[in-house]
Amino acid sequence: MTAMDKPHLIRTSVEAAKEVFARPAYLGLAVAIALAAFLASLWIPNYKLIGAVFITPDVTLDTKLQLLASLLAGISTNFGAFAAFSAATIPLLFGVDIAMLVYFLRRRRARLPHGEIAASVGGAASGVVAAGCAACGSFLLVTILSFLGASGALALLPLQGGELGLLSIALLLLSIFLIARKIAAPVVCEIKPPAQPPGNAPPLEERP
Amino acid sequence: MMLRYFKSSPLGRAAAVLLITGTLAAGNTAAQPNQPSAAPAAADFIQPVTQRDHIRGNPDAPVKIVEFADTECPLCKRFHPTLQRIVAEYPGKVAWVFRHFPLDNIHPKARKEAEATECANDLGGNEKFWAYLDRLYKITPSNNRLDPAELPRIAEYVGLNRAKFEQCLESGKYAQRVAEDLDDALAAGAQGTPYTVVVAPNGRKFAILGAQPYASVKLVVEIALQQKK
């Protein structure tokens, strides 16, 4: 592969995304996953409240739905500007990532490549940790750091643990790029160029 | 067999990572020093509201809002005006009860600030407790950034004797009181702050985690008011 052939990070990702999301089914899948992840990040921290209201007798369905809708405004009251950005971006990237993974797997009928799955799972997992904060101290990170006896370090971080949101975004972007590169790669066998002068050339080798 | 699947398949490894993350997330509690490590998950174990509590509004109000908060938590600072508005809009119907839940591992200054509010209560009663708390929330930059030198200044600002306040704060006489509130918070299922339990007249409890919007809190208060004894 020459320098000219090296995949351009953004161009490759955009081309692959165009290919995937030109199909309404994958666009729908990405939107559905992103929406589900976004709603979950705002509702799950208050599952006890939602559960209590939903099982309380005489509370109308309208009131229950109003509560669910009102909790969505928590994105502005429960998060700072940076955390709100992460809370909105992570579900979006997660939806795009999963839709592209599904497209790749269905098209190639291939096994999931290790790098892609690692970045994808890492992005999602750190997203869970980062988005787990709907209240001070509810970070999963705090628990982990407490266990390690290093929770005081959190107070020293400039974003008070919001760095995990950045990590999550970076991992999801990496995962999307890795999948995009796979999608953009031609579905043909590449012939390895001869390494020796003609005459002593070894037999042509195919690699997928 | 299952273990072999987790080890051999990339999907299996991914599932294992998500399983571990989910398990950790489900068991996520704000662990505190000298506190029980496992807290009940429901708000059913909350201590009843008594004269010992700091109450804003009518103490005999049918609905009690018990807030567990940390004075250095930015979300508690943001949530404070929400509860001020709720109490103002439901005169006689809602009582706001404040209990301490300082998160030592991320806000080491919060415990002493909690003791400072108790000293304000000691020297000036319930009215000064709330005046002190309002002022503290107003001036703290949050996230453990309030200069401790501000604590006696706040006492002076709300009309307390500075020397007596400093003497009270240095004695640590309210450390136990703060620790008891913290125990109550953990027993009530608090996993972070602000943690607010709305108690209906029939004893039904609605636990709110985080600085939820005014509309959500108002809706929960309305539901609680409908729950007759």
Side-chain angles (χ1 to χ4, degrees), chain A residues 20-21 23 25-27 29-30 33 94-110 112-113 117 120 175 179 183, chain B residues 11:
Chain A
V20 175
F21 297 119
R23 293 158 173 78
Y26 290 98
L27 187 63
L29 178 67
I33 291 171
F94 188 60
V96 168
D97 188 34
I98 297 297
M100 289 176 76
L101 263 174
V102 171
Y103 174 83
F104 172 75
L105 291 174
R106 285 177 64 102
R107 199 186 65 164
R108 296 288 179 89
R109 302 203 176 281
L112 217 50
I117 192 70
S120 189
S175 173
I179 297 159
I183 290 170
Chain B
L11 272 175

Side-chain angles (χ1 to χ4, degrees), chain A:
Chain A
M1 186 181 283
T2 66
M4 289 291 286
D5 298 329
K6 278 185 183 170
H8 186 274
L9 196 138
I10 296 173
R11 194 172 57 228
T12 304
S13 302
V14 169
E15 288 302 321
K18 274 184 189 169
E19 182 182 330
V20 175
F21 297 119
R23 293 158 173 78
Y26 290 98
L27 187 63
L29 178 67
V31 169
I33 291 171
L35 195 62
F38 179 70
L39 293 178
S41 72
L42 290 172
W43 286 340
I44 285 176
N46 266 297
Y47 72 94
K48 279 195 269 185
L49 172 65
I50 294 169
V53 168
F54 272 66
I55 62 166
T56 299
D58 303 330
V59 177
T60 63
L61 179 64
D62 183 47
T63 305
K64 291 170 183 170
L65 294 178
Q66 273 184 50
L67 177 71
L68 290 177
S70 70
L71 286 171
L72 298 182
I75 188 117
S76 63
T77 60
N78 242 330
F79 300 91
F82 178 76
F85 169 76
S86 293
T89 307
I90 291 168
L92 187 69
L93 292 177
F94 188 60
V96 168
D97 188 34
I98 297 297
M100 289 176 76
L101 263 174
V102 171
Y103 174 83
F104 172 75
L105 291 174
R106 285 177 64 102
R107 199 186 65 164
R108 296 288 179 89
R109 302 203 176 281
R111 286 185 68 189
L112 217 50
H114 291 200
E116 284 78 344
I117 192 70
S120 189
V121 170
S126 57
V128 167
V129 176
C133 179
C136 290
S138 68
F139 289 100
L140 179 58
L141 183 64
V142 168
T143 309
I144 295 167
L145 290 178
S146 293
F147 183 70
L148 297 174
S151 57
L154 195 62
L156 302 175
L157 294 173
L159 299 171
Q160 304 280 311
E163 288 80 359
L164 269 177
L166 279 181
L167 173 69
S168 184
I169 290 170
L171 283 172
L172 285 167
L173 284 173
L174 172 68
S175 173
I176 288 169
F177 168 67
L178 290 173
I179 297 159
R181 203 175 57 174
K182 291 276 180 191
I183 290 170
V187 195
V188 292
C189 292
E190 190 182 331
I191 298 172
K192 199 174 181 182
Q196 295 173 10
N200 296 330
L204 288 177
E205 185 186 329
E206 282 190 343
R207 63 185 172 97

Side-chain angles (χ1 to χ4, degrees), chain B residues 84-100:
Chain B
Q84 282 175 324
R85 187 174 163 193
I86 290 284
V87 172
E89 287 192 6
Y90 291 91
K93 291 182 178 175
V94 168
W96 174 12
V97 179
F98 186 93
R99 291 181 184 167
H100 306 286

Side-chain angles (χ1 to χ4, degrees), chain B:
Chain B
M1 174 111 175
M2 189 174 278
L3 190 64
R4 197 184 309 153
Y5 172 76
F6 279 139
K7 280 182 178 172
S8 62
S9 147
L11 272 175
R13 279 197 289 271
V17 170
L18 285 175
L19 194 67
I20 291 165
T21 310
T23 306
L24 284 169
N28 178 22
T29 54
Q32 301 294 321
N34 306 319
Q35 299 302 324
S37 57
D44 293 339
F45 299 92
I46 191 168
Q47 290 293 325
V49 176
T50 64
Q51 286 186 335
R52 172 188 179 275
D53 279 300
H54 308 295
I55 302 172
R56 179 172 258 174
N58 174 15
D60 298 320
V63 170
K64 310 277 193 303
I65 300 178
V66 183
E67 183 196 16
F68 295 95
D70 168 323
T71 48
E72 282 304 303
C73 161
L75 296 178
C76 299
K77 179 183 166 98
R78 199 178 293 174
F79 196 55
H80 199 69
T82 301
L83 291 186
Q84 282 175 324
R85 187 174 163 193
I86 290 284
V87 172
E89 287 192 6
Y90 291 91
K93 291 182 178 175
V94 168
W96 174 12
V97 179
F98 186 93
R99 291 181 184 167
H100 306 286
F101 187 21
L103 302 170
D104 295 320
N105 48 13
I106 51 173
H107 307 135
K109 289 179 181 172
R111 195 177 278 258
K112 205 65 187 171
E113 290 173 16
E115 289 179 34
T117 63
E118 290 299 329
C119 285
N121 183 69
D122 186 351
L123 298 172
N126 191 55
E127 187 194 335
K128 294 296 181 190
F129 170 87
W130 286 99
Y132 193 96
L133 188 67
D134 290 346
R135 181 67 183 166
L136 200 162
Y137 271 129
K138 192 169 185 181
I139 68 165
T140 180
S142 299
N143 285 323
N144 216 39
R145 292 200 298 257
L146 182 72
D147 183 352
E150 288 293 339
L151 297 179
R153 285 188 204 130
I154 298 172
E156 263 186 335
Y157 180 88
V158 300
L160 295 173
N161 182 300
R162 182 175 179 138
K164 284 184 181 172
F165 175 85
E166 284 176 328
Q167 193 181 5
C168 170
L169 194 57
E170 281 165 21
S171 73
K173 65 195 275 193
Y174 288 105
Q176 182 59 33
R177 160 70 205 247
V178 172
E180 284 167 10
D181 275 8
L182 205 149
D183 277 341
D184 185 31
L186 292 171
Q191 296 185 349
T193 55
Y195 182 68
T196 309
V197 182
V198 178
V199 186
N202 63 358
R204 194 175 277 271
K205 298 174 184 76
F206 303 91
I208 302 169
L209 179 64
Q212 296 305 334
Y214 168 77
S216 302
V217 181
K218 185 178 168 67
L219 212 54
V220 175
V221 168
E222 291 286 353
I223 292 168
L225 281 168
Q226 289 167 11
Q227 307 299 306
K228 300 297 177 199
K229 272 186 180 172

